Amino acid sequence: MTPNGSSFSRSVMPMNRDDSASHEAATASAATSGPSVKIRARDINVFYGEKQALFDVAIDIPEKSVTSFIGPSGCGKSTFLRCMNRMNDTIPICRVTGAIEMDGEDVNDRSIDPVVLRARVGMVFQKPNPFPKSIYENVAYGPRIHGLATGKDELDAIVESSLRRAGLWDEVSDRLLQPGTGLSGGQQQRLVIARAIAVGPEVILMDEPCSALDPIATAKIEELIDELREQFCIVIVTHSMAQAARVSQRTAFFHMGRLVESGATDEIFTNPRDSRTQDYITGRFG
Amino acid sequence: MTDLPITTTTASDRARDIRAAVESRLKTRHASERRFKLYGQLAIAIALSFLVVLLGRIVTQGASTFVVHSISVQVPLDPARIDQTALEGVNYDIMVADAVLAKLGEKDDDYGTKSEAIKDLMSPDFGFQLLNMIKADSSLIGKTVTVSGPLRANADLYFKGEIKRSSPEEERTLSNQQLDWLDALKSSGAVKTGFNFGFFTKSDSTEPEQAGVLGAVVGSAMMLLVTAFLAVPIGVMAAVYLEEFAPKNSWTDVIEVNINNLAAVPSIVYGLLGLGLFINTLGVPRSSPLLGGLVLALMALPTVIIATRSSLKAVPPSIREAALGVGASRTQAVFHHVLPLAMPGVMTGSILALAHALGETAPLLMIGMVSFVPGVPHGFDQAATVLPVQVFIWENASERAFHERTAAAIMVLLVFMILMNAVAIIVRRRFERRW
Ligand SMILES: Nc1ncnc2c1ncn2[C@@H]1O[C@H](COP(=O)(O)OP(=O)(O)OP(=O)(O)O)[C@@H](O)[C@H]1O
Ligand SMILES: [Mg+2]
């Protein structure tokens, strides 16, 4: 199954490996001059049962910056994102091989508890998914289960600062006890970001966070991402080229389960090396 | 991609053809729509009429139970007729009969035939009332006391028109003379018509006029309590494990198929199991609410599991992801978020399973819950009777007066069930959350 699958793909697309390898070198050189590497992934292969969804993905994701994943639907962006906080563990048929290191530590190591990992690597999903509880409870839940606050005051402080950093405090400070599901879509997405921030993560993964939002709400989230970049390592999956160009410093292009090209966002958009990247960003397919 | 075949007709021609084709079929389409609507309405009408016939029959048959004809009699406690050394052996019924005769202005003959005939009209309960009064206070002997209560079932049936004077005397249980007396008592105002509170405050009795449903209602409630405390927690936990934690493999498939099959097993099989397992092996007391509750819990378990699983399935996966995403463990995600959201469905399913168990008769007959139990059960291991079994017992009784009580007990059972279903609906409405 696997060896056949991958060797078949390799023989069909011989260019691919060389490409990603050369880009890896580029990334590495960029990493030495720019911010330090937060997440380093090597040889990531992901299988859903018999079907391989990712092939030998290797990428460095830098600290305190925004990296965007782009690529046509079904190319494996979400799958790769979910490798980084081991959300794929919850899918019984999913199998991940390869190494993902966060600050030099292998996240798939036995000694790493996924529960702890997910507190360090927060996730924001495509559709806002607040708990059907109060706004306060939504944000307080994470700190509470991780025991981050010793008293009510401390918890209140965490809730407030998280909501402030998510840019939602002014809109909801007078109705913290009302259900989070009663907010607008954009507010819900910011609430979910506040919920992720509240447990003090180092990395925030966002899987198409704006796909269900109108342009104004999208602008607010983008603004927020730009601010959060100061403190977190952010990875965002997006289908909007414009959004990738606006919010991210680095961009990675996925195609059919392979990382085709990754590099500085300006470079990818102005001067892509691979013809598939060129085709995708100019809208010729995808 | 293939091009459309090039035809000689122009676009507007083709549009006209399409419209004509659609219109020609329009009539048959509308006709079939009307036909299906009619079928649907017919089906509902038939179902409703069955329901009306069923309920109508039960109500018309049982309504008379709620009316009772009662009488108060002043009985002189003649010391000569009461042997104080053997109070239990005194014939109080005759004393009551004589008092009624006196009320009617008649005197007994030497053979006592009249007082015997009167005795048939008075409930034997009067005699017990006298006995209890004297036992409590022996100074009453020599005085006159008042006893009151329902007339005997036959007399009651006469007043309700069930026994008719027009039918030949030898075919009825009451003689012409007895009817005359009853008429006289009625016209003198001694017989009172009222609401039959006794039906709700008394338990089963060999005398129809004394029989009530209290014992059965309490028995049913105790049994349901046992069922609920066993079936709901076990069922919910089993469902949570199967749905959220168990690996999906052939073992769990087998378990799932078996649970679904268990839900369809005829209830009498559970009775057999109860007989073999609980009575013969574990020695649970026969005809006790505990035993009935155990058997019905087995029966309700698959339903609770299935209802819980389907409401767990209905919780959107995004909630689980949200909880896992902030670092909740699987157990925390389930117990903090998924299960609370599934709770309305769990409760509705459980209540409906319990309502179903409430009406179950066959397995209870199997485990010997058909005995005559005259009182309210005092413990979970005491003999008890339950509503559906009470219906069964009364229906099999020979006295005619029990038959109206059968229908009345069914009405009580139905009210019980409607209440439970109403609670289920309220729970669902009240706790239903949208996301
Ligand atoms: N739970 C799953 N079970 C089986 N196959 C899956 C599962 N999730 C994803 N896949 C498959 O893996 C491949 C990559 O899916 P993925 O969701 O990562 O794509 P994506 O790039 O995020 O697409 P989109 O832009 O549409 O979100 C797809 O072919 C998909 O069918
Ligand atoms: Mg995706």
Side-chain angles (χ1 to χ4, degrees), chain A residues 82 87 90 115 118 125 129-133 141 145-146 195 199, chain B residues 318-319 321-329 332 336-337 341 433 435:
Chain A
R82 293 163 61 93
M87 274 307 254
T90 61
V115 166
R118 288 182 203 135
F125 299 86
N129 57 352
F131 300 128
K133 298 189 173 182
Y141 181 70
I145 58 171
H146 292 295
R195 182 176 69 190
V199 289
Chain B
S318 64
I319 296 294
E321 286 188 332
L324 295 175
V326 293
S329 68
Q332 285 171 326
H336 294 169
H337 299 286
L341 287 174
R433 301 217 213 190
W435 51 79

PDB file of all heavy atoms in Angstrom, chain A residues 82 87 90 115 118 125 129-133 141 145-146 195 199, chain B residues 318-319 321-329 332 336-337 341 433 435:
ATOM      1  N   ARG A  82      -3.521  19.672  11.266  1.00  0.00           N
ATOM      2  CA  ARG A  82      -3.952  18.833  12.393  1.00  0.00           C
ATOM      3  C   ARG A  82      -2.845  17.898  12.895  1.00  0.00           C
ATOM      4  O   ARG A  82      -2.967  17.345  13.982  1.00  0.00           O
ATOM      5  CB  ARG A  82      -5.188  18.019  11.988  1.00  0.00           C
ATOM      6  CG  ARG A  82      -6.419  18.909  11.754  1.00  0.00           C
ATOM      7  CD  ARG A  82      -7.480  18.162  10.973  1.00  0.00           C
ATOM      8  NE  ARG A  82      -7.917  16.995  11.700  1.00  0.00           N
ATOM      9  CZ  ARG A  82      -8.962  16.975  12.517  1.00  0.00           C
ATOM     10  NH1 ARG A  82      -9.682  18.066  12.672  1.00  0.00           N
ATOM     11  NH2 ARG A  82      -9.295  15.891  13.150  1.00  0.00           N
ATOM     12  N   MET A  87      -4.361  16.530  16.408  1.00  0.00           N
ATOM     13  CA  MET A  87      -5.804  16.335  16.331  1.00  0.00           C
ATOM     14  C   MET A  87      -6.118  15.102  15.501  1.00  0.00           C
ATOM     15  O   MET A  87      -7.190  14.528  15.605  1.00  0.00           O
ATOM     16  CB  MET A  87      -6.491  17.564  15.711  1.00  0.00           C
ATOM     17  CG  MET A  87      -6.838  18.657  16.687  1.00  0.00           C
ATOM     18  SD  MET A  87      -7.797  18.115  18.099  1.00  0.00           S
ATOM     19  CE  MET A  87      -9.388  18.766  17.658  1.00  0.00           C
ATOM     20  N   THR A  90      -7.417  11.778  16.951  1.00  0.00           N
ATOM     21  CA  THR A  90      -8.816  11.484  17.262  1.00  0.00           C
ATOM     22  C   THR A  90      -9.516  10.781  16.115  1.00  0.00           C
ATOM     23  O   THR A  90     -10.647  10.345  16.265  1.00  0.00           O
ATOM     24  CB  THR A  90      -9.576  12.779  17.592  1.00  0.00           C
ATOM     25  OG1 THR A  90      -9.531  13.628  16.435  1.00  0.00           O
ATOM     26  CG2 THR A  90      -8.960  13.512  18.764  1.00  0.00           C
ATOM     27  N   VAL A 115      -2.882  16.102  25.390  1.00  0.00           N
ATOM     28  CA  VAL A 115      -3.658  17.093  26.129  1.00  0.00           C
ATOM     29  C   VAL A 115      -2.797  18.318  26.439  1.00  0.00           C
ATOM     30  O   VAL A 115      -3.226  19.463  26.294  1.00  0.00           O
ATOM     31  CB  VAL A 115      -4.212  16.445  27.417  1.00  0.00           C
ATOM     32  CG1 VAL A 115      -4.727  17.503  28.366  1.00  0.00           C
ATOM     33  CG2 VAL A 115      -5.309  15.454  27.069  1.00  0.00           C
ATOM     34  N   ARG A 118      -1.964  20.191  23.137  1.00  0.00           N
ATOM     35  CA  ARG A 118      -3.042  21.016  22.598  1.00  0.00           C
ATOM     36  C   ARG A 118      -3.249  22.290  23.395  1.00  0.00           C
ATOM     37  O   ARG A 118      -3.876  23.230  22.903  1.00  0.00           O
ATOM     38  CB  ARG A 118      -4.333  20.207  22.524  1.00  0.00           C
ATOM     39  CG  ARG A 118      -4.252  19.189  21.415  1.00  0.00           C
ATOM     40  CD  ARG A 118      -5.512  18.396  21.258  1.00  0.00           C
ATOM     41  NE  ARG A 118      -5.213  17.138  20.594  1.00  0.00           N
ATOM     42  CZ  ARG A 118      -5.692  15.967  20.977  1.00  0.00           C
ATOM     43  NH1 ARG A 118      -6.511  15.896  22.005  1.00  0.00           N
ATOM     44  NH2 ARG A 118      -5.371  14.883  20.319  1.00  0.00           N
ATOM     45  N   PHE A 125     -11.100  26.742  14.327  1.00  0.00           N
ATOM     46  CA  PHE A 125     -11.647  25.948  13.228  1.00  0.00           C
ATOM     47  C   PHE A 125     -12.355  26.824  12.208  1.00  0.00           C
ATOM     48  O   PHE A 125     -12.632  27.996  12.436  1.00  0.00           O
ATOM     49  CB  PHE A 125     -12.602  24.896  13.781  1.00  0.00           C
ATOM     50  CG  PHE A 125     -11.922  23.934  14.712  1.00  0.00           C
ATOM     51  CD1 PHE A 125     -11.770  24.236  16.066  1.00  0.00           C
ATOM     52  CD2 PHE A 125     -11.413  22.740  14.242  1.00  0.00           C
ATOM     53  CE1 PHE A 125     -11.134  23.359  16.924  1.00  0.00           C
ATOM     54  CE2 PHE A 125     -10.772  21.854  15.094  1.00  0.00           C
ATOM     55  CZ  PHE A 125     -10.635  22.168  16.428  1.00  0.00           C
ATOM     56  N   ASN A 129     -16.973  27.550  16.541  1.00  0.00           N
ATOM     57  CA  ASN A 129     -17.619  26.495  17.323  1.00  0.00           C
ATOM     58  C   ASN A 129     -17.560  26.783  18.814  1.00  0.00           C
ATOM     59  O   ASN A 129     -16.997  26.014  19.579  1.00  0.00           O
ATOM     60  CB  ASN A 129     -16.995  25.131  17.019  1.00  0.00           C
ATOM     61  CG  ASN A 129     -15.501  25.112  17.284  1.00  0.00           C
ATOM     62  OD1 ASN A 129     -14.920  26.152  17.555  1.00  0.00           O
ATOM     63  ND2 ASN A 129     -14.900  23.950  17.227  1.00  0.00           N
ATOM     64  N   PRO A 130     -18.167  27.900  19.258  1.00  0.00           N
ATOM     65  CA  PRO A 130     -18.183  28.139  20.703  1.00  0.00           C
ATOM     66  C   PRO A 130     -19.001  27.050  21.390  1.00  0.00           C
ATOM     67  O   PRO A 130     -19.877  26.457  20.775  1.00  0.00           O
ATOM     68  CB  PRO A 130     -18.869  29.497  20.833  1.00  0.00           C
ATOM     69  CG  PRO A 130     -19.672  29.646  19.595  1.00  0.00           C
ATOM     70  CD  PRO A 130     -18.926  28.919  18.523  1.00  0.00           C
ATOM     71  N   PHE A 131     -18.676  26.776  22.658  1.00  0.00           N
ATOM     72  CA  PHE A 131     -19.511  25.874  23.434  1.00  0.00           C
ATOM     73  C   PHE A 131     -20.858  26.546  23.655  1.00  0.00           C
ATOM     74  O   PHE A 131     -20.910  27.766  23.812  1.00  0.00           O
ATOM     75  CB  PHE A 131     -18.880  25.603  24.806  1.00  0.00           C
ATOM     76  CG  PHE A 131     -17.521  24.985  24.740  1.00  0.00           C
ATOM     77  CD1 PHE A 131     -16.460  25.542  25.424  1.00  0.00           C
ATOM     78  CD2 PHE A 131     -17.302  23.836  23.999  1.00  0.00           C
ATOM     79  CE1 PHE A 131     -15.200  24.976  25.382  1.00  0.00           C
ATOM     80  CE2 PHE A 131     -16.040  23.256  23.949  1.00  0.00           C
ATOM     81  CZ  PHE A 131     -14.987  23.833  24.636  1.00  0.00           C
ATOM     82  N   PRO A 132     -21.930  25.775  23.668  1.00  0.00           N
ATOM     83  CA  PRO A 132     -23.231  26.406  23.954  1.00  0.00           C
ATOM     84  C   PRO A 132     -23.349  26.776  25.428  1.00  0.00           C
ATOM     85  O   PRO A 132     -24.231  26.322  26.135  1.00  0.00           O
ATOM     86  CB  PRO A 132     -24.250  25.345  23.532  1.00  0.00           C
ATOM     87  CG  PRO A 132     -23.504  24.073  23.448  1.00  0.00           C
ATOM     88  CD  PRO A 132     -22.048  24.363  23.335  1.00  0.00           C
ATOM     89  N   LYS A 133     -22.408  27.562  25.892  1.00  0.00           N
ATOM     90  CA  LYS A 133     -22.406  28.037  27.275  1.00  0.00           C
ATOM     91  C   LYS A 133     -22.191  29.545  27.219  1.00  0.00           C
ATOM     92  O   LYS A 133     -22.098  30.122  26.143  1.00  0.00           O
ATOM     93  CB  LYS A 133     -21.266  27.387  28.051  1.00  0.00           C
ATOM     94  CG  LYS A 133     -21.392  25.886  28.120  1.00  0.00           C
ATOM     95  CD  LYS A 133     -20.376  25.299  29.072  1.00  0.00           C
ATOM     96  CE  LYS A 133     -20.680  23.835  29.230  1.00  0.00           C
ATOM     97  NZ  LYS A 133     -19.806  23.164  30.141  1.00  0.00           N
ATOM     98  N   TYR A 141     -13.101  27.954  30.287  1.00  0.00           N
ATOM     99  CA  TYR A 141     -13.041  26.485  30.327  1.00  0.00           C
ATOM    100  C   TYR A 141     -11.612  25.946  30.266  1.00  0.00           C
ATOM    101  O   TYR A 141     -11.212  25.135  31.097  1.00  0.00           O
ATOM    102  CB  TYR A 141     -13.885  25.887  29.193  1.00  0.00           C
ATOM    103  CG  TYR A 141     -13.859  24.384  29.209  1.00  0.00           C
ATOM    104  CD1 TYR A 141     -14.497  23.684  30.218  1.00  0.00           C
ATOM    105  CD2 TYR A 141     -13.180  23.653  28.238  1.00  0.00           C
ATOM    106  CE1 TYR A 141     -14.467  22.307  30.269  1.00  0.00           C
ATOM    107  CE2 TYR A 141     -13.138  22.274  28.278  1.00  0.00           C
ATOM    108  CZ  TYR A 141     -13.792  21.610  29.293  1.00  0.00           C
ATOM    109  OH  TYR A 141     -13.743  20.254  29.345  1.00  0.00           O
ATOM    110  N   ILE A 145      -9.675  23.736  33.211  1.00  0.00           N
ATOM    111  CA  ILE A 145      -9.277  22.318  33.182  1.00  0.00           C
ATOM    112  C   ILE A 145      -7.769  22.160  33.305  1.00  0.00           C
ATOM    113  O   ILE A 145      -7.296  21.134  33.758  1.00  0.00           O
ATOM    114  CB  ILE A 145      -9.788  21.574  31.923  1.00  0.00           C
ATOM    115  CG1 ILE A 145      -9.299  22.234  30.644  1.00  0.00           C
ATOM    116  CG2 ILE A 145     -11.289  21.444  31.928  1.00  0.00           C
ATOM    117  CD1 ILE A 145      -9.593  21.410  29.405  1.00  0.00           C
ATOM    118  N   HIS A 146      -7.019  23.186  32.920  1.00  0.00           N
ATOM    119  CA  HIS A 146      -5.571  23.066  33.056  1.00  0.00           C
ATOM    120  C   HIS A 146      -5.082  23.601  34.394  1.00  0.00           C
ATOM    121  O   HIS A 146      -3.891  23.582  34.665  1.00  0.00           O
ATOM    122  CB  HIS A 146      -4.867  23.812  31.917  1.00  0.00           C
ATOM    123  CG  HIS A 146      -5.085  23.184  30.584  1.00  0.00           C
ATOM    124  ND1 HIS A 146      -4.620  21.937  30.269  1.00  0.00           N
ATOM    125  CD2 HIS A 146      -5.751  23.615  29.485  1.00  0.00           C
ATOM    126  CE1 HIS A 146      -4.978  21.625  29.032  1.00  0.00           C
ATOM    127  NE2 HIS A 146      -5.668  22.627  28.539  1.00  0.00           N
ATOM    128  N   ARG A 195     -10.714  31.977  23.369  1.00  0.00           N
ATOM    129  CA  ARG A 195     -10.705  30.705  24.085  1.00  0.00           C
ATOM    130  C   ARG A 195      -9.361  29.995  23.898  1.00  0.00           C
ATOM    131  O   ARG A 195      -8.821  29.412  24.830  1.00  0.00           O
ATOM    132  CB  ARG A 195     -11.850  29.834  23.553  1.00  0.00           C
ATOM    133  CG  ARG A 195     -11.982  28.506  24.232  1.00  0.00           C
ATOM    134  CD  ARG A 195     -13.188  27.758  23.715  1.00  0.00           C
ATOM    135  NE  ARG A 195     -13.010  27.333  22.339  1.00  0.00           N
ATOM    136  CZ  ARG A 195     -13.989  26.822  21.589  1.00  0.00           C
ATOM    137  NH1 ARG A 195     -15.213  26.718  22.069  1.00  0.00           N
ATOM    138  NH2 ARG A 195     -13.758  26.448  20.357  1.00  0.00           N
ATOM    139  N   VAL A 199      -5.509  29.689  27.243  1.00  0.00           N
ATOM    140  CA  VAL A 199      -4.672  28.667  27.879  1.00  0.00           C
ATOM    141  C   VAL A 199      -3.189  28.942  27.655  1.00  0.00           C
ATOM    142  O   VAL A 199      -2.354  28.092  27.959  1.00  0.00           O
ATOM    143  CB  VAL A 199      -5.028  27.243  27.379  1.00  0.00           C
ATOM    144  CG1 VAL A 199      -6.377  26.824  27.911  1.00  0.00           C
ATOM    145  CG2 VAL A 199      -5.011  27.160  25.871  1.00  0.00           C
TER     146      VAL A 199
ATOM    147  N   SER B 318     -18.128  19.296  15.972  1.00  0.00           N
ATOM    148  CA  SER B 318     -17.354  20.518  16.210  1.00  0.00           C
ATOM    149  C   SER B 318     -17.226  20.803  17.703  1.00  0.00           C
ATOM    150  O   SER B 318     -16.246  21.414  18.133  1.00  0.00           O
ATOM    151  CB  SER B 318     -18.015  21.698  15.503  1.00  0.00           C
ATOM    152  OG  SER B 318     -19.280  21.961  16.039  1.00  0.00           O
ATOM    153  N   ILE B 319     -18.218  20.352  18.498  1.00  0.00           N
ATOM    154  CA  ILE B 319     -18.141  20.582  19.944  1.00  0.00           C
ATOM    155  C   ILE B 319     -17.021  19.735  20.544  1.00  0.00           C
ATOM    156  O   ILE B 319     -16.240  20.191  21.376  1.00  0.00           O
ATOM    157  CB  ILE B 319     -19.490  20.231  20.609  1.00  0.00           C
ATOM    158  CG1 ILE B 319     -20.587  21.172  20.115  1.00  0.00           C
ATOM    159  CG2 ILE B 319     -19.380  20.293  22.122  1.00  0.00           C
ATOM    160  CD1 ILE B 319     -20.397  22.606  20.518  1.00  0.00           C
ATOM    161  N   GLU B 321     -14.387  18.670  18.917  1.00  0.00           N
ATOM    162  CA  GLU B 321     -13.132  19.264  18.449  1.00  0.00           C
ATOM    163  C   GLU B 321     -12.789  20.492  19.267  1.00  0.00           C
ATOM    164  O   GLU B 321     -11.628  20.702  19.625  1.00  0.00           O
ATOM    165  CB  GLU B 321     -13.249  19.648  16.973  1.00  0.00           C
ATOM    166  CG  GLU B 321     -13.209  18.455  16.050  1.00  0.00           C
ATOM    167  CD  GLU B 321     -13.118  18.875  14.596  1.00  0.00           C
ATOM    168  OE1 GLU B 321     -13.608  19.978  14.276  1.00  0.00           O
ATOM    169  OE2 GLU B 321     -12.576  18.098  13.798  1.00  0.00           O
ATOM    170  N   ALA B 322     -13.806  21.305  19.557  1.00  0.00           N
ATOM    171  CA  ALA B 322     -13.556  22.521  20.322  1.00  0.00           C
ATOM    172  C   ALA B 322     -12.964  22.170  21.671  1.00  0.00           C
ATOM    173  O   ALA B 322     -11.986  22.781  22.113  1.00  0.00           O
ATOM    174  CB  ALA B 322     -14.856  23.299  20.502  1.00  0.00           C
ATOM    175  N   ALA B 323     -13.556  21.165  22.333  1.00  0.00           N
ATOM    176  CA  ALA B 323     -13.083  20.800  23.666  1.00  0.00           C
ATOM    177  C   ALA B 323     -11.680  20.207  23.578  1.00  0.00           C
ATOM    178  O   ALA B 323     -10.781  20.596  24.332  1.00  0.00           O
ATOM    179  CB  ALA B 323     -14.043  19.816  24.311  1.00  0.00           C
ATOM    180  N   LEU B 324     -11.475  19.280  22.639  1.00  0.00           N
ATOM    181  CA  LEU B 324     -10.149  18.673  22.494  1.00  0.00           C
ATOM    182  C   LEU B 324      -9.128  19.741  22.118  1.00  0.00           C
ATOM    183  O   LEU B 324      -7.977  19.706  22.549  1.00  0.00           O
ATOM    184  CB  LEU B 324     -10.185  17.577  21.437  1.00  0.00           C
ATOM    185  CG  LEU B 324     -11.048  16.363  21.777  1.00  0.00           C
ATOM    186  CD1 LEU B 324     -11.099  15.410  20.589  1.00  0.00           C
ATOM    187  CD2 LEU B 324     -10.528  15.650  23.003  1.00  0.00           C
ATOM    188  N   GLY B 325      -9.563  20.692  21.312  1.00  0.00           N
ATOM    189  CA  GLY B 325      -8.665  21.735  20.821  1.00  0.00           C
ATOM    190  C   GLY B 325      -8.093  22.606  21.922  1.00  0.00           C
ATOM    191  O   GLY B 325      -6.993  23.126  21.783  1.00  0.00           O
ATOM    192  N   VAL B 326      -8.835  22.813  23.014  1.00  0.00           N
ATOM    193  CA  VAL B 326      -8.271  23.606  24.104  1.00  0.00           C
ATOM    194  C   VAL B 326      -7.563  22.716  25.108  1.00  0.00           C
ATOM    195  O   VAL B 326      -7.156  23.176  26.170  1.00  0.00           O
ATOM    196  CB  VAL B 326      -9.318  24.473  24.850  1.00  0.00           C
ATOM    197  CG1 VAL B 326      -9.852  25.542  23.948  1.00  0.00           C
ATOM    198  CG2 VAL B 326     -10.417  23.631  25.441  1.00  0.00           C
ATOM    199  N   GLY B 327      -7.452  21.422  24.787  1.00  0.00           N
ATOM    200  CA  GLY B 327      -6.659  20.556  25.647  1.00  0.00           C
ATOM    201  C   GLY B 327      -7.463  19.750  26.640  1.00  0.00           C
ATOM    202  O   GLY B 327      -6.919  19.257  27.618  1.00  0.00           O
ATOM    203  N   ALA B 328      -8.776  19.607  26.399  1.00  0.00           N
ATOM    204  CA  ALA B 328      -9.552  18.724  27.267  1.00  0.00           C
ATOM    205  C   ALA B 328      -9.224  17.282  26.904  1.00  0.00           C
ATOM    206  O   ALA B 328      -8.964  16.973  25.745  1.00  0.00           O
ATOM    207  CB  ALA B 328     -11.035  18.986  27.088  1.00  0.00           C
ATOM    208  N   SER B 329      -9.246  16.406  27.896  1.00  0.00           N
ATOM    209  CA  SER B 329      -9.061  14.991  27.589  1.00  0.00           C
ATOM    210  C   SER B 329     -10.371  14.467  27.014  1.00  0.00           C
ATOM    211  O   SER B 329     -11.389  15.150  27.036  1.00  0.00           O
ATOM    212  CB  SER B 329      -8.687  14.221  28.843  1.00  0.00           C
ATOM    213  OG  SER B 329      -9.788  14.208  29.723  1.00  0.00           O
ATOM    214  N   GLN B 332     -13.050  14.429  29.577  1.00  0.00           N
ATOM    215  CA  GLN B 332     -13.559  15.768  29.879  1.00  0.00           C
ATOM    216  C   GLN B 332     -14.447  16.269  28.760  1.00  0.00           C
ATOM    217  O   GLN B 332     -15.503  16.855  29.007  1.00  0.00           O
ATOM    218  CB  GLN B 332     -12.386  16.725  30.098  1.00  0.00           C
ATOM    219  CG  GLN B 332     -11.707  16.521  31.436  1.00  0.00           C
ATOM    220  CD  GLN B 332     -10.428  17.327  31.554  1.00  0.00           C
ATOM    221  OE1 GLN B 332      -9.706  17.529  30.574  1.00  0.00           O
ATOM    222  NE2 GLN B 332     -10.138  17.777  32.757  1.00  0.00           N
ATOM    223  N   HIS B 336     -18.033  17.026  30.064  1.00  0.00           N
ATOM    224  CA  HIS B 336     -18.289  18.461  30.205  1.00  0.00           C
ATOM    225  C   HIS B 336     -19.166  19.003  29.086  1.00  0.00           C
ATOM    226  O   HIS B 336     -19.891  19.962  29.280  1.00  0.00           O
ATOM    227  CB  HIS B 336     -16.969  19.248  30.215  1.00  0.00           C
ATOM    228  CG  HIS B 336     -16.117  18.967  31.411  1.00  0.00           C
ATOM    229  ND1 HIS B 336     -14.819  19.387  31.507  1.00  0.00           N
ATOM    230  CD2 HIS B 336     -16.375  18.302  32.556  1.00  0.00           C
ATOM    231  CE1 HIS B 336     -14.304  18.998  32.667  1.00  0.00           C
ATOM    232  NE2 HIS B 336     -15.234  18.325  33.308  1.00  0.00           N
ATOM    233  N   HIS B 337     -19.063  18.425  27.905  1.00  0.00           N
ATOM    234  CA  HIS B 337     -19.715  19.068  26.765  1.00  0.00           C
ATOM    235  C   HIS B 337     -20.698  18.173  26.032  1.00  0.00           C
ATOM    236  O   HIS B 337     -21.835  18.550  25.809  1.00  0.00           O
ATOM    237  CB  HIS B 337     -18.661  19.582  25.782  1.00  0.00           C
ATOM    238  CG  HIS B 337     -17.765  20.599  26.398  1.00  0.00           C
ATOM    239  ND1 HIS B 337     -18.184  21.874  26.650  1.00  0.00           N
ATOM    240  CD2 HIS B 337     -16.507  20.520  26.852  1.00  0.00           C
ATOM    241  CE1 HIS B 337     -17.213  22.545  27.228  1.00  0.00           C
ATOM    242  NE2 HIS B 337     -16.172  21.742  27.360  1.00  0.00           N
ATOM    243  N   LEU B 341     -25.020  18.095  26.386  1.00  0.00           N
ATOM    244  CA  LEU B 341     -25.797  18.493  25.214  1.00  0.00           C
ATOM    245  C   LEU B 341     -26.742  17.377  24.781  1.00  0.00           C
ATOM    246  O   LEU B 341     -27.789  17.632  24.197  1.00  0.00           O
ATOM    247  CB  LEU B 341     -24.865  18.860  24.059  1.00  0.00           C
ATOM    248  CG  LEU B 341     -24.138  20.181  24.243  1.00  0.00           C
ATOM    249  CD1 LEU B 341     -23.130  20.395  23.135  1.00  0.00           C
ATOM    250  CD2 LEU B 341     -25.132  21.321  24.261  1.00  0.00           C
ATOM    251  N   ARG B 433     -31.161  22.644  23.189  1.00  0.00           N
ATOM    252  CA  ARG B 433     -30.314  23.791  22.856  1.00  0.00           C
ATOM    253  C   ARG B 433     -30.039  23.767  21.370  1.00  0.00           C
ATOM    254  O   ARG B 433     -29.954  22.722  20.751  1.00  0.00           O
ATOM    255  CB  ARG B 433     -28.990  23.693  23.584  1.00  0.00           C
ATOM    256  CG  ARG B 433     -29.192  23.647  25.069  1.00  0.00           C
ATOM    257  CD  ARG B 433     -28.101  24.406  25.711  1.00  0.00           C
ATOM    258  NE  ARG B 433     -27.769  23.808  26.979  1.00  0.00           N
ATOM    259  CZ  ARG B 433     -26.984  24.366  27.854  1.00  0.00           C
ATOM    260  NH1 ARG B 433     -26.437  25.519  27.573  1.00  0.00           N
ATOM    261  NH2 ARG B 433     -26.715  23.782  28.991  1.00  0.00           N
ATOM    262  N   TRP B 435     -27.463  25.073  18.297  1.00  0.00           N
ATOM    263  CA  TRP B 435     -26.111  25.564  18.059  1.00  0.00           C
ATOM    264  C   TRP B 435     -25.861  25.651  16.580  1.00  0.00           C
ATOM    265  O   TRP B 435     -26.619  25.166  15.776  1.00  0.00           O
ATOM    266  CB  TRP B 435     -25.070  24.679  18.744  1.00  0.00           C
ATOM    267  CG  TRP B 435     -25.239  23.247  18.446  1.00  0.00           C
ATOM    268  CD1 TRP B 435     -24.857  22.584  17.320  1.00  0.00           C
ATOM    269  CD2 TRP B 435     -25.859  22.267  19.281  1.00  0.00           C
ATOM    270  NE1 TRP B 435     -25.193  21.287  17.401  1.00  0.00           N
ATOM    271  CE2 TRP B 435     -25.805  21.053  18.587  1.00  0.00           C
ATOM    272  CE3 TRP B 435     -26.453  22.317  20.549  1.00  0.00           C
ATOM    273  CZ2 TRP B 435     -26.336  19.885  19.121  1.00  0.00           C
ATOM    274  CZ3 TRP B 435     -26.953  21.155  21.052  1.00  0.00           C
ATOM    275  CH2 TRP B 435     -26.897  19.954  20.348  1.00  0.00           C
TER     276      TRP B 435
END
